[in-house]
Amino acid sequence: MHKVTKEQMDGIIACMTDPVNGKHGEVFDALELSPYDYCQNGGELEFINVIYKRDIEDKIEQAQSYPEDYFDEDRAAEIEAGAKLTADDMERVKASHIKSCEEDECAHYATISEVTDGNRSVFVAYIDSSWGQYGVNIDEFLGFYISDQAARHALSLMDDMIFLRLTD
């Protein structure tokens, strides 16, 4: 878990109860959390693979432009001659990209972790990534939530990302 002061927790709870003021990101940034804090405080993080849908769309565009990198010789020749990608072709490119993301050591992950001041707890969701020898870094704050389940549910509703092994 991430440990914070009573004052920091007051700020988190204030922004959760008044979402209109838009201070979530500022409050999160002020906490200066590190992905390493969690483990040092006795917890173990679950890393949920994240695949951005825009990355899949980019791969599909690349497959249309450079089919030899994605398909067998015959299908690549058809595409180079002007054939459009079929739904099956696009699904194949998508599945290949998802598989490569699962195996990538520098992938993006959604992390849900507990934040506590010792008396009260909330959960924070963020996207982090492994930068190889540079370690793990928090890239994007997603929100504070009342429970782990609420955070998972919120992730499941995000339409610009695919979360692998996310249980709601």
Side-chain angles (χ1 to χ4, degrees):
M1 78 190 67
H2 294 290
K3 292 184 179 177
V4 296
T5 66
K6 178 189 177 309
E7 292 77 19
Q8 289 172 316
M9 183 60 76
D10 290 342
I12 292 169
I13 291 172
C15 76
M16 289 175 68
T17 57
D18 184 16
V20 178
N21 72 21
K23 300 280 187 191
H24 286 84
E26 293 173 24
V27 171
F28 178 76
D29 290 343
L31 295 176
E32 297 182 357
L33 298 180
S34 163
Y36 298 104
D37 295 343
Y38 199 86
C39 296
Q40 291 170 354
N41 291 324
E44 187 171 319
L45 291 175
E46 171 189 10
F47 294 101
I48 303 163
N49 285 70
V50 174
I51 295 141
Y52 291 95
K53 288 184 179 177
R54 70 176 178 267
D55 292 344
I56 292 171
E57 292 163 4
D58 291 345
K59 290 292 183 185
I60 290 170
E61 286 178 21
Q62 289 174 8
Q64 183 70 54
S65 300
Y66 305 100
E68 66 278 0
D69 294 340
Y70 296 88
F71 303 104
D72 65 36
E73 192 175 312
D74 292 337
R75 183 63 183 136
E78 291 172 0
I79 295 169
E80 286 174 350
K84 297 291 180 198
L85 297 179
T86 66
D88 285 344
D89 291 336
M90 289 186 247
E91 193 58 39
R92 189 173 301 126
V93 171
K94 177 182 174 181
S96 174
H97 181 65
I98 289 171
K99 183 175 173 68
S100 72
C101 288
E102 287 181 295
E103 297 169 354
D104 185 0
E105 290 181 14
C106 295
H108 297 279
Y109 302 96
T111 301
I112 299 168
S113 63
E114 184 179 6
V115 178
T116 185
D117 65 359
N119 293 316
R120 301 168 292 175
S121 292
V122 297
F123 289 80
V124 63
Y126 52 81
I127 302 293
D128 55 21
S129 60
S130 171
W131 293 0
Q133 292 180 346
Y134 294 107
V136 177
N137 296 279
I138 296 174
D139 298 333
E140 182 179 356
F141 166 72
L142 301 175
F144 293 111
Y145 303 92
I146 193 107
S147 67
D148 179 79
Q149 184 177 1
R152 288 174 184 280
H153 180 70
L155 292 182
S156 74
L157 298 176
M158 293 183 178
D159 61 359
D160 59 338
M161 299 176 219
I162 296 171
F163 298 94
L164 304 181
R165 294 178 297 281
L166 173 66
T167 52
D168 186 354

